[in-house]
Amino acid sequence: MGIAAAEEGKRVDGRRERSRSSHKRIVAAMMDLIEGGDLMPSAARVAEEAGVGLRTVFRHFDDMDSLYREISRTVAERIWPTITAPYDSADWRANIRDLTRRRARVFETMLPFRLAANVKRFQSPYLMGQYAQVVTMERDLVLRLLPADVTADRYRVEALIATLSFQNWRAIRQDQGLSVEDAGAVVAHMIEALIAA
C-alpha cells in the first residue's frame, strides 16, 4: 500500500509540474507574440507558440480575458519596483524629473501590452476597468509629488499629468516615431517648461 501511494504521489506531482510548465509557457508565448507585434494573437496562435494544444490553453484560461489578466499581473510585477521606489529629494521639481525618467522606463516596458490592451479594451470589461485604474494611478502618482501651491494651479497640474501620461508616451513613440531616447528627451523638455513656470 505504501509503495502504491508513493507512486501515485509521484504521478500527481508530475501532472502538477507539467500543468505549471504549460501555464508558464502559455503566458510567455502570449507575451512574446505581443512584444513581437501581434497585438491580437488568437488562442490557436498562442497554443502553437507555446507548443501546447488549444484545449490546454483553455484548460488553463477560461477565455482570452483571463489570459490578459495573467499578462497584466506579470507586467505589473516587472514595473512595480520602479513605480513604488521612494523619491530621494525634498524638492518636488527633482522628484518630478525622477518620475519622468521612471515613466520612460515603465512605459517602454508596458508599450506593447498597453497597445494590445487598447485594441481589445472596448470588447473587454476587464481591460476597460484596468485602463481606468491605470489612468487614475498615473494621475495620483503625479499629484502626490506636488506641493499645495502647485496643485492650486489647475491647468499646470493637468498639463503635468497629460505630459507624464502613457497616452502622451504612446503618441511620441508610435505616432511620431521617435526613439526611446528622443521620446524621453521630448518629455523631459516639456516637463522642464512646466516646472519652471
Side-chain angles (χ1 to χ4, degrees), residues 3-22:
I3 294 173
E7 289 299 318
E8 180 60 24
K10 285 180 187 176
R11 277 194 293 279
V12 169
D13 286 347
R15 282 194 300 268
R16 284 188 189 129
E17 185 51 44
R18 282 191 301 279
S19 178
R20 278 191 290 271
S21 174
S22 293

Side-chain angles (χ1 to χ4, degrees), residues 88-173:
D88 296 331
S89 181
D91 176 25
W92 71 271
R93 290 173 182 87
N95 290 335
I96 289 289
R97 289 181 187 109
D98 185 6
L99 176 63
T100 302
R101 290 185 294 272
R102 291 182 193 197
R103 290 243 168 130
R105 291 192 310 269
V106 166
F107 289 164
E108 198 56 31
T109 300
M110 292 171 55
L111 187 60
F113 305 106
R114 286 286 297 272
L115 292 176
N118 280 345
V119 169
K120 297 283 290 175
R121 78 179 146 113
F122 296 101
Q123 304 161 353
S124 165
Y126 167 74
L127 290 175
M128 187 58 86
Q130 186 190 47
Y131 174 80
Q133 288 175 351
V134 169
V135 169
T136 299
M137 184 175 70
E138 284 179 6
R139 180 181 191 83
D140 290 346
L141 290 172
V142 173
L143 291 173
R144 288 180 195 173
L145 298 178
L146 302 177
D149 62 319
V150 175
T151 58
D153 183 346
R154 179 176 153 225
Y155 296 123
R156 186 180 186 191
V157 169
E158 295 303 331
L160 283 165
I161 289 167
T163 301
L164 290 166
S165 71
F166 175 80
Q167 292 305 325
N168 185 50
W169 184 261
R170 186 211 55 76
I172 294 169
R173 287 282 287 122

